[in-house]
Amino acid sequence: MIILDENQHRVASHKEGPALVLAGAGAGKTASIIGRTLELVESGVPSSRILLLTFSRKAAREMRERAMMAFGEGGATIQASTFHAFCGRIFRQYESVIRPPLIKPQAQGNIAHTGTDNTAPSQKIQEHQGDRVTQLDEGGQSHIAMEAIRRQYKDPKEAELALKEMDWRKWLSAYDRLRSEGYTAQAQGAAQMTTDFINAWWRVEFTEAQKDPMAGDLYQFAVWYETEKRLAHVIDFGDLINLPFDFLRANPPAMAKLAHRYDQIIIDEAQDMDAAQYQGIQRLARAMPTPNLMLVGDDDQSIYGFRGSSPSVLQYFADIFRPEIYRLERNYRSTREIVQRASQHVAHNRHRIPKEPFSERETEESIFAYRHETDMDVLYWITRRLLQAHADGAPWSSFAVLYRSRRFGPQISALLVRYRIPFVIYGGLSFFEYLEVKFAGAYARLATNPRDSAALRDLAPLLPGVGDRYMDLLHAALMENPTFGFVQAAEACASNRFRTAHQSILKVQKTLRHLLQSNPETWGKTCWEYENSGIRVYLEKADAKEYADDKSALIASLKRRQDNLGFFDQMITDVIHEADAEEAKHPVLLIAGMFVTDAQKKDEDGDRVVLATVHACKGLEFDEVHIPGFVQPLMPWPIDDDRDITTLPPDDQQRIYAQREEERRISYVALTRAKHRLFLHVPGRFVTAANLMLNGAIRAPYLNELGLTAVPAPFQAARMDTAVQATANVIPFRPKPVEEDCRGG
């Protein structure tokens, strides 16, 4: 049984034709979609002829599960899938005619031509239509891009030099953006197509002053990249959307066949569509006997501009299709204060569809803006708050820490591990997953347990000659000989074939001896500085390769790694000083125990604090939300500034306004994840992602738009030696019960 309010029921009862549902945060859009589907089935529409599209597997799974709850077994025939899964089915059905012709080089397959020749090497290839293609992930895209550049040079040294000098990562990112607008580079395309492509790139990425020097480079790179994909028989995520929709546009019979398969199409989170997806779906709707296309979304929650989505698709749809418009403006999630202040904040965006969200949830004060001395003070304060509220009876899953910058994730996760608070991270790494910290921890684990083959396997990237085969042999030797440590097991595996691996194992032994003779409170620093550990050498080489074309990024990355190990040593010091006298006699065991705790936290299900980037938390809600960096340039991001842009060219003004408004929408999404309590933290001093220390006159422009002023945090949390016992009710978790309303689901 689905309970709907009056406006949700109007959505569910929509008759025929296009419809636009403006569904604000917490307004119950999923319930409305399922209610709409139930109405359709009850009116005689076969469930198999209803198509529900969304943008994440999680959302698609939730819709399928709720459809099954509403319809029973009949819900299994409803197609609820992501855009990529839907287009993937079309691609597989027509693969032999959809995919671009694959290329197989003749002879040795070395197709080389100069960097100025953008013609396809058609005289050196042959088409192969019988082969299957595979799909690239993000890492695969980078590999193909680098290979595409290398192929343009006969001399390998010249090729590697070109990779270092070219800004190919930026080109690949820009090309991905253009693909989301439907542009694809073609080696033998018309001049006008080339011009349109370059103009579109300028509009998306660059200012007037940057245009001319870069135009030809991007188009040339895109041609190489497309050719390399054909050589490798692969497609990327852009192809998975563009190729099926381009095929359908060029083949009306296939389009008509697909369109007649569905009576109703409903798009969830429609504001997240990019231009290619929108164009494809609106053409499909026009091919239906009746364009029964319903878009459900909120332009104020469009935050994926970096991958081509645009809030303007909702307005385009309204202008072109003239749909019936429904408004879901009651927020069932958040308190009245949160809804009112968040709405007045996002209303500063000029290019949006006006809305009047409201909430009937009454509660005491629910938004708190606190000022702290440093960013680390913020994180300690949040950790203590979680401990206090949990001691008052709040489940861990009631809390979320949301951040614009990923740098907060590892730091707060390290504190949560230290104080045994279970958590899960969305959109980033745990502190203990950073390679420099992981390697240092593996040495500690191996020092306390010489039979820990898993720790040795974690160190394998640092050890020449130690591969999977050798590790399998060493593990078998350990299992067969219960008294062996890793050194004795290595002696048992010694042979000419594994001579290099054996030498590496002896270096590990030497490193452990050095570490055990050093100060345990500088374990991380010693691991970095001691050459035999291999950590610094390995990571310097890895970063030099990753940032070959950006020296400043290389320096910043290495500095972050050392800072992470410095923070790790600070945690070790805290752990040792807070241990009892007997535990403190075994400091390395305490260090290794930190990593065991982290592994246990990752394996737990259910009751966990959520740490997430704002982009990763869409669709989630929590009783209490903390935003640890509600200051510029963290929120808003550095791209925003106060300069007067009215004298800039119109295209540049439009681009900057769009970036500023997206930043405000990102803030709005973070604010509206909170149901009952929202904490905005303003550090007076913090380190940016580029390792710049900012202090002094810190600006918090979004606080002004919310009508708030930050006050000093109510207690100092720089040290938490007795944090677990510190349960003073400075702020009760929830002042009084608030009746939950199922219509918000």
Side-chain angles (χ1 to χ4, degrees):
M1 180 67 176
I2 298 177
I3 302 175
L4 303 176
D5 67 21
E6 183 179 352
N7 289 323
Q8 292 169 342
H9 184 69
R10 289 195 185 101
V11 172
S13 303
H14 174 71
K15 299 302 181 183
E16 282 197 331
L20 173 61
V21 182
L22 298 173
K29 64 178 179 59
T30 304
S32 301
I33 290 172
I34 299 301
R36 167 68 175 157
T37 308
L38 182 58
E39 284 275 340
L40 290 170
V41 172
E42 290 179 347
S43 68
V45 177
S47 58
S48 60
R49 296 184 61 81
I50 301 172
L51 174 63
L52 307 179
L53 291 180
T54 187
F55 290 86
S56 71
R57 288 189 293 269
K58 178 179 179 293
R61 182 173 61 252
E62 180 185 358
M63 284 200 290
R64 283 195 296 270
E65 290 172 352
R66 294 184 68 164
M68 290 286 288
M69 290 174 60
F71 307 115
E73 292 301 320
T77 60
I78 294 176
Q79 285 194 40
S81 69
T82 65
F83 262 91
H84 283 90
F86 173 67
C87 290
R89 289 194 293 271
I90 301 171
F91 184 89
R92 288 189 295 273
Q93 182 179 355
Y94 297 102
E95 179 176 344
S96 62
V97 289
I98 284 183
R99 60 173 166 75
L102 305 178
I103 300 174
K104 184 174 182 180
Q106 293 180 343
Q108 284 76 23
N110 181 22
I111 301 177
H113 49 87
T114 67
T116 58
D117 178 11
N118 67 354
T119 58
S122 55
Q123 69 277 15
K124 300 179 182 180
I125 64 175
Q126 46 190 16
E127 307 292 353
H128 283 259
Q129 296 291 349
D131 297 331
R132 303 284 295 185
V133 298
T134 55
Q135 185 178 324
L136 292 169
D137 58 16
E138 187 174 341
Q141 275 191 275
S142 295
H143 173 75
I144 290 294
M146 290 189 290
E147 289 302 309
I149 293 171
R150 290 189 181 107
R151 194 175 294 280
Q152 313 312 312
Y153 298 87
K154 293 181 179 179
D155 185 342
K157 292 183 179 179
E158 289 185 14
E160 295 307 312
L161 181 62
L163 278 173
K164 292 181 180 180
E165 294 177 348
M166 292 179 180
D167 198 2
W168 64 267
R169 288 183 182 85
K170 192 166 191 175
W171 293 351
L172 184 58
S173 175
Y175 187 43
D176 278 344
R177 284 289 305 276
L178 287 171
R179 300 288 301 290
S180 72
E181 295 200 7
Y183 292 93
T184 301
Q186 298 177 8
Q188 296 175 327
Q192 184 58 47
M193 182 275 214
T194 306
T195 302
D196 291 345
F197 178 97
I198 293 172
N199 286 338
W201 180 52
W202 285 344
R203 184 180 68 254
V204 168
E205 294 285 339
F206 296 99
T207 65
E208 189 75 35
Q210 294 175 303
K211 288 181 178 179
D212 290 341
M214 304 179 182
D217 289 343
L218 173 68
Y219 194 80
Q220 178 67 84
F221 165 78
V223 169
W224 295 345
Y225 177 70
E226 289 296 332
T227 301
E228 191 67 27
K229 285 193 299 181
R230 292 174 61 194
L231 281 162
H233 298 191
V234 295
I235 60 173
D236 58 21
F237 280 107
D239 291 324
L240 202 56
I241 296 294
N242 289 353
L243 292 178
F245 281 144
D246 287 347
F247 164 75
L248 292 173
R249 179 179 57 182
N251 293 268
M255 175 73 85
K257 182 178 179 181
L258 180 64
H260 281 71
R261 188 181 301 172
Y262 303 109
D263 291 330
Q264 300 283 338
I265 301 176
I266 303 174
I267 312 294
D268 185 26
E269 301 285 6
Q271 76 279 350
D272 292 337
M273 284 191 290
D274 60 37
Q277 291 164 339
Y278 172 70
Q279 291 296 333
I281 209 68
Q282 64 98 9
R283 290 190 186 102
L284 179 61
R286 290 184 181 281
M288 298 169 68
T290 301
N292 291 321
L293 174 61
M294 174 179 283
L295 301 193
V296 183
D298 178 11
D299 57 332
D300 288 334
Q301 297 185 71
S302 176
I303 63 172
Y304 299 105
F306 63 90
R307 66 186 186 203
S309 68
S310 170
S312 58
V313 297
L314 300 183
Q315 190 62 59
Y316 292 156
F317 178 68
D319 293 342
I320 294 172
F321 279 81
R322 301 295 179 184
E324 188 77 25
I325 296 179
Y326 302 92
R327 293 176 178 272
L328 303 180
E329 295 179 318
R330 179 177 177 181
N331 186 312
Y332 288 93
R333 173 189 300 156
S334 306
T335 65
R336 180 173 295 177
E337 182 187 14
I338 292 173
V339 172
Q340 288 177 344
R341 291 192 185 275
S343 299
Q344 92 180 38
H345 170 47
V346 79
H348 282 77
N349 283 352
R350 299 186 303 175
H351 304 95
R352 60 186 289 268
I353 300 173
K355 290 173 284 294
E356 296 181 3
F358 66 96
S359 171
E360 296 182 0
R361 283 180 175 270
E362 290 287 358
T363 186
E364 296 177 8
E365 184 181 8
S366 53
I367 304 183
F368 304 88
Y370 287 151
R371 193 168 62 247
H372 307 260
E373 288 188 12
T374 70
D375 49 355
M376 287 309 303
D377 288 335
V378 170
L379 300 183
Y380 274 107
W381 194 98
I382 293 172
T383 304
R384 182 172 180 177
R385 165 64 186 163
L386 299 180
L387 289 166
Q388 291 177 334
H390 184 66
D392 288 341
W396 295 120
S397 57
S398 302
F399 307 101
V401 182
L402 308 181
Y403 34 84
R404 181 70 173 86
S405 170
R406 288 173 182 261
R407 63 175 290 274
F408 281 109
Q411 292 176 332
I412 186 66
S413 70
L415 287 175
L416 299 193
V417 167
R418 169 67 193 93
Y419 292 98
R420 297 178 173 83
I421 299 175
F423 66 91
V424 61
I425 292 183
Y426 298 144
L429 296 175
S430 161
F431 179 75
F432 294 92
E433 292 174 316
Y434 278 88
L435 285 178
E436 59 274 15
V437 181
K438 181 179 179 180
F439 289 147
Y443 274 119
R445 290 157 53 204
L446 200 59
T448 58
N449 178 12
R451 291 178 54 80
D452 190 345
S453 61
L456 192 59
R457 196 179 290 273
D458 284 345
L459 292 172
L462 312 179
L463 310 177
V466 176
D468 289 341
R469 174 61 178 155
Y470 181 78
M471 283 303 308
D472 290 343
L473 291 173
L474 189 142
H475 180 74
L478 288 169
M479 296 302 100
E480 292 170 4
N481 300 276
T483 61
F484 277 13
F486 72 92
V487 176
Q488 294 91 336
E491 295 289 349
C493 298
S495 67
N496 286 334
R497 178 182 178 185
F498 295 115
R499 182 179 302 169
T500 302
H502 187 67
Q503 293 300 315
S504 294
I505 295 297
L506 296 180
K507 277 193 173 184
V508 172
Q509 183 185 36
K510 185 176 180 180
T511 298
L512 291 179
R513 286 174 179 166
H514 179 79
L515 287 168
L516 292 171
Q517 293 169 2
S518 303
N519 182 356
E521 294 184 24
T522 60
W523 186 273
K525 180 180 179 182
T526 305
C527 282
W528 181 264
E529 293 179 348
Y530 187 58
E531 187 171 352
N532 274 334
S533 77
I535 295 176
R536 188 184 77 251
V537 173
Y538 174 82
L539 293 176
E540 283 179 346
K541 287 182 179 179
D543 284 354
K545 184 176 181 181
E546 175 70 17
Y547 303 107
D549 53 355
D550 192 340
K551 186 175 181 180
S552 62
L554 170 62
I555 294 172
S557 178
L558 293 174
K559 176 68 164 55
R560 279 195 295 272
R561 294 191 187 282
Q562 293 179 71
D563 289 346
N564 284 341
L565 289 172
F567 184 63
F568 178 49
D569 286 343
Q570 179 183 330
M571 290 182 61
I572 292 171
T573 299
D574 289 344
V575 168
I576 292 173
H577 289 183
E578 293 170 15
D580 60 35
E582 187 60 32
E583 288 178 328
K585 294 178 182 179
H586 308 284
V588 181
L589 189 62
L590 292 174
I591 298 171
M594 294 163 64
F595 289 82
V596 174
T597 302
D598 184 53
Q600 291 173 344
K601 294 293 180 262
K602 288 166 59 180
D603 289 340
E604 291 177 3
D605 291 323
D607 194 20
R608 298 179 291 181
V609 175
V610 169
L611 310 180
T613 61
V614 180
H615 287 94
C617 74
K618 276 281 294 289
L620 303 179
E621 58 183 38
F622 308 92
D623 284 342
E624 182 169 305
V625 168
H626 292 262
I627 302 178
F630 206 67
V631 295
Q632 195 173 26
L634 298 176
M635 192 175 287
W637 201 243
I639 208 165
D640 190 86
D641 54 49
D642 295 325
R643 61 187 169 130
D644 181 12
I645 64 173
T646 57
T647 59
L648 297 178
D651 282 354
D652 290 352
Q653 291 186 41
Q654 182 179 354
R655 181 176 58 84
I656 294 172
Y657 276 130
Q659 291 167 344
R660 289 180 176 181
E661 295 197 352
E662 174 135 332
E663 282 302 310
R664 193 171 282 108
R665 291 194 297 270
I666 291 170
S667 170
Y668 176 76
V669 167
L671 300 173
T672 54
R673 300 310 95 193
K675 296 168 66 176
H676 306 294
R677 290 188 174 276
L678 174 62
F679 290 82
L680 309 176
H681 298 281
V682 179
R685 186 171 70 252
F686 60 92
V687 179
T688 69
N691 284 296
L692 299 175
M693 173 64 75
L694 297 183
N695 53 50
I698 299 296
R699 297 182 62 252
Y702 286 174
L703 275 185
N704 296 333
E705 295 181 4
L706 287 164
L708 296 170
T709 301
V711 300
F715 58 79
Q716 177 64 33
R719 283 281 180 182
M720 294 193 297
D721 297 339
T722 58
V724 176
Q725 289 77 34
T727 56
N729 294 321
V730 177
I731 305 171
F733 170 62
R734 281 177 63 176
K736 60 183 179 181
V738 179
E739 182 182 355
E740 302 292 338
D741 197 317
C742 61
R743 290 171 291 185

